[in-house]
Amino acid sequence: MEQEKIILVGVFLPNRTEEAFWNSIRELRSLTSTANGEIVDELIQKLERVNQASFIGSGKLLELAELVEMHEADVVIFNSELSATQVRNISKVVAARVIDRTQLILDIFAMRAKSREGKLQVAYAQYKYLLPRLSGQGASLSKLGGGIGSRGPGESKLEMDKRHIREKMDDIRAQLTHVEKHRKRIINRRNEQAIFRFGLIGYTNAGKSTIFNRLTHETTIEEDKLFATLDPTTRKIRFAGGFQALITDTVGFIQDLPTTLIAAFRSTLEETANVDVLIHVVDASDSDYLQHETTVLALLTELEMNHIPILTVYNKIDQITQGFIPDRPEHLLISALSSTAPTSLKQRMIELIEKNWHYFSKEISEEQGKELAQIKQRAWITKLEYLEDNKAYLVEGYQPRKEPTND
Ligand SMILES: Nc1nc2c(ncn2[C@@H]2O[C@H](COP(=O)(O)OP(=O)(O)OP(=O)(O)O)[C@@H](O)[C@H]2O)c(=O)[nH]1
Ligand SMILES: [Mg+2]
């Protein structure tokens, strides 16, 4: 697809530090290129407060209109969420599609969603975003041609009236309930298995999928793009001696995540809601890593997952800059691309298993071969000794605190 020409607009407000502002612009740039847009210009305005009518000041708006004309830009992307009125007023003056950061993120999610559930969630979030903005947007909507900010439900559907959109949303909700039920059954079955579970979480582009692939020898998409992973994937991870645990790769987090998408995250992250330990991957080479960490931890609280023990993995230490200092007590420094990463991470994972599971020591007579085989797979064995006199094995290790139940 041909790249669309984009102009970015950012408003620097007093409630932000200069550094935070520029980091958010940097992030908007990468979101834009992830959506396959070509940035041709940027317009930054420093304001005491946003202009209710047009977000930026009226003089700046004219400047923007000129820039759009000069570059023949297709889309203008604002670094904040715009109201319906603002979009309408800006669109009157500017001869390009006007979208905001939320729409851009929704758009990327729409591009990335692979599973039926992911697609449904994104479509739902897009409709939800659209609904209050629908009135009076007809003119600009009819200009949509499937480019950035308009992928997903599609033009004709976007033009349905509000009642139709509400019906559509109800329909998606019903389908989602059905899909979610199915997934809950799978999750419940997993919970019954009494298998140790790790969940990878972290800011987008931190390296979660890279780590996941190195640990499981599987390939999920790992690329230098935001939100490369959208659908959660769970796989087995094998340790020495036959012991197995599960690990789940998830969608990345981002600051100022549209509220409409947090709901979608909630069910996506349900895969990780029952894990024993969260592995929080942080891109230590990003100058903004502290803000990324804070964003992830805040979202975890919002998703009611902050009670789960966390191991922070500072990744990309091959590209670290001087300003980096690890600030979480329980952490590990790695470069996921190095050949030693899986070993050191697995070592730490074992320590976490030992810390979170229950120590046991028991004798199993040599006739109970089947039980022994089962234990070897389900528990982390630290000692296995044949006791000649007792004709039995002495087994020591760690197992779940709870015995599996059937409810
Ligand atoms: N230099 C360096 N690059 C890395 C390292 N680990 C991952 N990367 C790169 O970082 C980029 C993002 O990696 P992913 O594994 O896709 O990141 P992710 O956290 O899964 O991202 P999302 O799925 O978008 O949330 C890729 O280009 C990786 O090759 C590392 O240790 N060092
Ligand atoms: Mg990923």
Side-chain angles (χ1 to χ4, degrees):
M1 194 169 82
E2 205 183 310
Q3 279 197 313
E4 288 186 291
K5 289 186 189 164
I6 315 285
I7 295 177
L8 301 184
V9 180
V11 170
F12 181 16
L13 295 164
N15 63 359
R16 275 197 138 162
T17 65
E18 190 143 337
E19 199 195 352
F21 172 74
W22 285 109
N23 280 332
S24 79
I25 292 292
R26 202 160 48 90
E27 192 165 86
L28 189 67
R29 288 182 199 136
S30 44
L31 285 166
T32 305
S33 55
T34 297
N36 196 31
E38 180 201 354
I39 299 165
V40 291
D41 215 333
E42 291 178 8
L43 188 74
I44 307 293
Q45 184 173 36
K46 200 170 175 170
L47 285 176
E48 281 304 308
R49 69 184 78 85
V50 300
N51 183 319
Q52 286 304 322
S54 57
F55 201 75
I56 48 176
S58 51
K60 266 286 180 235
L61 188 59
L62 292 177
E63 206 181 304
L64 178 63
E66 279 167 23
L67 284 179
V68 166
E69 203 171 340
M70 187 177 95
H71 293 291
E72 296 181 340
D74 303 291
V75 189
V76 178
I77 305 178
F78 281 73
N79 193 28
S80 319
E81 201 160 294
L82 297 173
S83 70
T85 319
Q86 286 165 340
V87 174
R88 196 161 52 240
N89 291 336
I90 299 165
S91 301
K92 274 184 203 152
V93 183
V94 172
R97 214 155 65 237
V98 175
I99 68 169
D100 62 17
R101 190 173 178 277
T102 302
Q103 267 173 298
L104 180 60
I105 294 177
L106 284 169
D107 194 70
I108 294 171
F109 272 58
M111 279 164 71
R112 294 272 184 243
K114 296 266 170 354
S115 71
R116 172 148 174 259
E117 185 176 17
K119 284 182 181 154
L120 287 170
Q121 277 166 351
V122 176
Y124 189 81
Q126 284 182 314
Y127 285 130
K128 197 166 170 199
Y129 176 87
L130 200 66
L131 199 54
R133 290 173 173 78
L134 206 61
S135 55
Q137 233 195 358
S140 62
L141 280 179
S142 61
K143 277 193 275 177
L144 294 185
I148 293 171
S150 63
R151 282 179 278 240
E155 178 184 8
S156 62
K157 285 180 197 150
L158 289 180
E159 283 176 331
M160 292 186 302
D161 63 18
K162 288 196 179 190
R163 188 172 56 84
H164 271 99
I165 288 199
R166 282 204 198 92
E167 277 170 17
K168 190 82 198 159
M169 284 173 77
D170 287 345
D171 181 46
I172 296 178
R173 196 63 269 155
Q175 290 186 54
L176 271 173
T177 312
H178 185 73
V179 184
E180 278 164 10
K181 254 197 206 136
H182 174 69
R183 198 160 43 79
K184 279 215 174 96
R185 271 199 299 273
I186 296 177
I187 291 176
N188 284 343
R189 212 175 300 147
R190 262 187 208 139
N191 290 344
E192 282 166 24
Q193 283 177 0
I195 187 163
F196 201 93
R197 303 195 50 199
F198 292 96
L200 284 164
I201 49 149
Y203 211 76
T204 179
N205 212 40
K208 299 176 293 297
S209 298
T210 310
I211 291 174
F212 180 80
N213 290 339
R214 298 296 185 278
L215 285 174
T216 61
H217 311 289
E218 295 288 344
T219 42
T220 52
I221 304 163
E222 55 184 77
E223 48 180 335
D224 201 5
K225 288 205 165 153
L226 304 183
F227 304 114
T229 309
L230 205 62
D231 300 311
T233 324
T234 299
R235 296 211 200 288
K236 274 193 183 127
I237 165 166
R238 289 162 218 280
F239 293 87
F243 175 68
Q244 296 179 349
L246 290 180
I247 184 160
T248 302
D249 186 19
T250 58
V251 56
F253 292 13
I254 195 159
Q255 63 177 325
D256 308 322
L257 190 75
T259 42
T260 33
L261 269 180
I262 291 182
F265 264 71
R266 199 183 293 278
S267 43
T268 306
L269 284 164
E270 228 159 60
E271 289 263 345
T272 42
N274 291 307
V275 297
D276 297 276
V277 169
L278 288 169
I279 298 179
H280 177 186
V281 184
V282 179
D283 178 353
S285 73
D286 194 305
S287 61
D288 213 18
Y289 75 96
L290 283 175
Q291 182 267 318
H292 291 182
E293 261 183 43
T294 316
T295 300
V296 171
L297 296 176
L299 271 167
L300 282 184
T301 307
E302 196 158 341
L303 297 164
E304 291 164 13
M305 284 167 64
N306 50 343
H307 59 282
I308 306 172
I310 298 181
L311 167 69
T312 305
V313 171
Y314 291 108
N315 187 31
K316 309 196 188 180
I317 50 160
D318 53 302
Q319 290 191 336
I320 230 156
T321 53
Q322 275 183 342
F324 173 75
I325 308 160
D327 77 315
R328 297 278 138 198
E330 181 104 49
H331 71 256
L332 178 71
L333 293 133
I334 61 162
S335 166
L337 303 178
S338 87
S339 58
T340 53
T343 319
S344 53
L345 190 50
K346 273 186 169 173
Q347 177 60 36
R348 262 317 256 281
M349 291 167 94
I350 289 297
E351 286 169 26
L352 287 162
I353 290 168
E354 293 180 354
K355 209 162 137 183
N356 287 281
W357 269 9
H358 198 67
Y359 176 79
F360 73 92
S361 169
K362 62 174 149 195
E363 277 184 32
I364 294 175
S365 80
E366 61 181 4
E367 286 106 59
Q368 294 171 283
K370 205 172 156 199
E371 197 189 330
L372 183 63
Q374 264 180 1
I375 287 185
K376 273 169 103 173
Q377 227 183 53
R378 282 171 30 181
W380 169 244
I381 308 293
T382 51
K383 189 172 180 179
L384 180 63
E385 211 178 281
Y386 184 66
L387 307 171
E388 198 60 67
D389 297 346
N390 304 11
K391 299 262 177 283
Y393 292 94
L394 171 67
V395 191
E396 283 179 20
Y398 296 83
Q399 64 186 14
R401 286 181 196 285
K402 272 193 316 197
E403 279 301 311
T405 55
N406 287 322
D407 55 29

